[in-house]
Amino acid sequence: MFRLHDVSYAYGGSQAGVAALSHVSLDVAQGEFRWLLGPSGAGKSSLLSILSLEVQASSGMVEILGVPVRQTRRAGLARLRRRIGAVKQDFGLLPDMSVFDNVALPLRLQHRAEAEIAHEVHAIMKWVGLEHRLDALPPQLSGGEQQRVAIARAVIYRPALLVADEPTNALDERQAGRLMRMFHRLAELGTTIVVATHNDAIVAKYPAPTIELLHGHLVRDHG
Amino acid sequence: MARQRYHDGLALRQALPGRFLPFLVGSMAFLAALALAGGIAAHSLSQRWTHGAGAVTTVQVPGPTDPATTTAAMGQMPATRIDAVLAILAATPGITDTHRLSDAELRALLAPWIEQTGDASLPLPAVIELHTAPGQDVAASLLPRLQAQAPGVLMEHDSVWSDRLAALAASLQACAGLAVLVVMTVAVCVVMAATRAGLLTRRQAIGLIHALGATDSYISGRFATRVGLLALWGGLCGSVLALPMLLALSQLAAPFTAMGDAPATAPDWRDLHAWSALLPPALLWMLVIVPPAAGLTGWATTQLTVRAWLRRLP
């Protein structure tokens, strides 16, 4: 769950920067699934970056999973990040690490046992249909495969908050359907999920409450 | 296991290659060892001069066999001036040793002047060498007492030379300290530059594991451990490379220091104790301390550099 109150964000600093979000307030409860909609430049990626603690809001109050971000020290933010999963548009995979190592990375940073890591990675990679590509390097995969690896890495540690930026972009209809079913299953288990998309068809097929942005302003919050 | 090779994605073997940094740190450690050895040698020579030649006072007693001034009055003092002077010296605290030069020693010492005059029967004073304990200045209080018994007694102390030599040694030590400081500064700069290069090489991976919840202390600790070990290895190499040079210098300086003359032959290569005896203990300790000091410097510098760099991340 997260709460934003009067949040603004500007690239290049709050004074002279370019405004990406203006006075956005939101309150999303635990286990909710929300579509994040809006045209390019509406501020969707900025909002997801704030939620995944990739950037700090220029002003306003941000509270994620009960933790006030501005008042929390760096070590506390690091602990909070371990409860947040993020799927980025560029996938964010390390090109010199195998698929296995990329997906195992969050668990290794949590110092899990190697046997447990191997079990979890095999299970999630089987689910995304890439259990046969564990030793491949990301550049050897197609865009859709890389996207599935990025999704696997984001959900392998069962985050409390999952943010995804266009996660179905490179997926075919069948894989996109599987992904949406998984997202809804995670939400039922208590994960708060925000998915940014331009894909009206998938929004229509899997209806859910929406957050809509336009020029950095919140224009619709159907919670 | 191949899968464990990168473990957390930092790939520090790529970011901080294992040759460049140890070579540079090793060179710095080598120079630091030489500079420290110079400082230690200057200190050792200074001690030797101050407590050796500098601690010797010469007493000249003219007419040594003439009667002492107060012999008759006191009725207890030795009959001759030389005996009276020796008795006073023996009873004076702070004097550790006295040596009266024999006639032969005295004539050998004065040979150039005696040969010039051609008069071998020239009456000579008695000459006594006094060794005083370090920090003891007995001359001022002693001279009036000696002159009371043997008028015309002269005392000479080599403090002018020993003071100058001590000042020279102190200057050399300061220069060595400055050199060590410069070497350490350069080493710190080298480590900072190498660390920053490593951070730039792996900035994508660092950004990713930061986003996945790695703490600053985890990331800086990983870099610092790698750099600390490389610097330790470099320091070890520098110390080992400096060892033969220090052994050679130590043997050259041996006659001028408390170690005495160098042995005529090298000890057996398996006899570590004999080899270690060839170096002053301070030099040995210095060689032992340089590698961990290099490792610690590398570790601390990297910690600070990485933590400062990570501040740019939210």
Side-chain angles (χ1 to χ4, degrees), chain B residues 32 99 156 204 223 293:
Chain B
H99 169 63
E156 281 184 11
Q204 187 193 358
F223 271 83

Side-chain angles (χ1 to χ4, degrees), chain A residues 54 74 81-82 96 101, chain B residues 3 202 213 216 310 313-314:
Chain A
E54 211 173 308
R74 290 179 67 82
R81 285 189 185 96
R82 290 176 210 156
D96 54 358
D101 286 326
Chain B
R3 275 181 185 156
R202 299 305 297 170
D216 291 359
L310 288 173
L313 300 178

Side-chain angles (χ1 to χ4, degrees), chain B residues 22 26 39 104 141 144 153 161 182 190 200 230 257 269:
Chain B
S141 60
V153 163
W161 282 106
V182 169
V190 164
L200 287 177
L230 290 178
T257 65
W269 66 272

Side-chain angles (χ1 to χ4, degrees), chain B residues 274-292:
Chain B
W275 279 105
S276 66
L278 295 178
L279 281 178
L283 270 183
L284 268 179
W285 276 112
M286 182 268 294
L287 285 174
V288 169
I289 286 168
V290 162

